[in-house]
Amino acid sequence: MRNIIRFPSSSAQVRREAAAWLVRLDGLDGAALSPQLESELRGWLAADSRHAQAVVDMAQLWDAMDCLSVLAELFPAAAPPPQRPAWRWMLYPGAVAGLASLAVVLTVYLLLFPREEVAAPHTVATHSSPQELVYRTGIGEQSEAVLADGSTMALNTDSEVRVSYSKRERTLYLTRGEAFFTVAKNAHVPFVVHAGRGKVRALGTAFSVWVKQGVTEVMVQEGTVAVEVGAVAMPPSPSASPLVEVETGRKSVTLGVGGSADYADTLQNVSQLSPEHLERRLAWREGKWLFTGETLEEVVREVSRYTLTDITIVDPRIADLRIGGYFDIGKLDEFLSVLQDGFGVSVTSVNDGLIQLSALDTSVAP
């Protein structure tokens, strides 16, 4: 069974708080909800109208799993359909025992669906037929989710990840785009991301994977990962950083902090990135474009990933113009304004879907 998850429209902070509440209740482990905790929950719900909506957005997924009715008191809109009585818990005002059963259902939810924050539970989903969840972002969209084991996943523009957890392996498939994973430690259940013609295996680490034009790029921010493909293109280099270990026998490469590797049919471009380079490459996680001297051609290629507008360099003399700056992702008009005012680039809007770049005057040279 497959569920396609469109990320909720609520802010990331609100979603994190909502998820934290779900996990806090899950931690009761069947115990009664105390009057103080119930009071705090109702206070949080009353503080902002988005709070209830954020939980309802998640709870709506439960309907497909036949396990929603315990939220009927706090979230009437999320009540289950009248059929399927086997999954109903009746909640009456002031019925503490009914509220206590919320933790049981939350456990089911947290194992099967993503949540937004907090510590990982001690176990991974153990259902015999894992449900596949599909996470997607459109062009220009970015979002985050917390997976069933407490790992977090951030998706960049136009990306898709399929998640299928089992007792033996936390399996993810990056079918397109770019994702950053912060992995919850579990030595008994490997975390494996399949992308392109290879896979990336980690136990407790933070790393990114980007599938682009037939090539997959892996970068490590924390811990170590093992990248495995069909063959290894190069022998171990004696001058390589100790954080990068090429294992030709296993046809893989082990990357440490700052380690980077590309692969298609074979491993290639195994390198050690400086902290500054790594920060620049992962700036998208902060909603930024960070350029430090890339050519205009390279910059336009990157910016174009986030918009349906066709940005074309029609004057070849400016293709190699070096660009530097810190820009907000998605604010295309501001970016183009800086190109024109700060770098001597003429920006011409031909129509709603086409922008042409040329030299501002004939004296401009790259």
Side-chain angles (χ1 to χ4, degrees), residues 146-189:
V146 178
L147 305 179
D149 64 325
S151 299
T152 61
M153 176 178 67
L155 292 189
N156 203 358
T157 176
D158 192 23
S159 301
E160 179 180 281
V161 174
R162 291 159 38 212
V163 179
S164 181
Y165 278 12
S166 69
K167 294 179 181 179
R168 298 180 179 178
E169 183 175 282
R170 294 171 283 176
T171 306
L172 302 92
Y173 299 88
L174 177 62
T175 56
R176 72 169 186 268
E178 185 174 15
F180 184 91
F181 305 94
T182 303
V183 181
K185 293 182 179 180
N186 188 330
H188 303 293
V189 186

Side-chain angles (χ1 to χ4, degrees), residues 36-51:
Q36 179 180 350
L37 187 58
E38 181 180 352
S39 176
E40 291 178 13
L41 175 57
R42 291 186 180 277
W44 177 78
L45 292 170
D48 190 322
S49 61
R50 295 177 301 166
H51 291 173

Side-chain angles (χ1 to χ4, degrees), residues 10-195:
S10 306
S11 70
Q13 180 61 31
V14 170
R15 287 185 282 119
R16 281 193 290 268
E17 292 177 5
W21 266 110
L22 291 177
V23 177
R24 188 176 179 185
L25 294 171
D26 179 53
L28 294 174
D29 196 23
L33 184 67
S34 69
Q36 179 180 350
L37 187 58
E38 181 180 352
S39 176
E40 291 178 13
L41 175 57
R42 291 186 180 277
W44 177 78
L45 292 170
D48 190 322
S49 61
R50 295 177 301 166
H51 291 173
Q53 186 59 50
V55 180
V56 169
D57 286 342
M58 299 178 189
Q60 284 174 344
L61 296 175
W62 294 17
D63 192 32
M65 295 301 299
D66 296 337
C67 56
L68 178 62
S69 57
V70 296
L71 292 180
E73 181 179 284
L74 295 180
F75 310 108
Q83 64 271 25
R84 308 166 183 168
W87 285 97
R88 283 191 176 276
W89 282 265
M90 297 304 295
L91 286 183
Y92 301 95
V96 176
L99 287 170
S101 66
L102 175 60
V104 178
V105 181
L106 283 171
T107 301
V108 177
Y109 170 78
L110 292 168
L111 291 176
L112 297 178
F113 294 99
R115 62 183 189 277
E116 283 295 329
E117 184 82 307
V118 303
H122 297 297
T123 60
V124 181
T126 58
H127 40 290
S128 58
S129 300
Q131 183 185 57
E132 181 180 272
L133 303 180
V134 182
Y135 297 80
R136 290 175 181 165
T137 54
I139 294 176
E141 295 179 348
Q142 296 175 316
S143 198
E144 296 185 3
V146 178
L147 305 179
D149 64 325
S151 299
T152 61
M153 176 178 67
L155 292 189
N156 203 358
T157 176
D158 192 23
S159 301
E160 179 180 281
V161 174
R162 291 159 38 212
V163 179
S164 181
Y165 278 12
S166 69
K167 294 179 181 179
R168 298 180 179 178
E169 183 175 282
R170 294 171 283 176
T171 306
L172 302 92
Y173 299 88
L174 177 62
T175 56
R176 72 169 186 268
E178 185 174 15
F180 184 91
F181 305 94
T182 303
V183 181
K185 293 182 179 180
N186 188 330
H188 303 293
V189 186
F191 187 98
V192 181
V193 178
H194 296 260

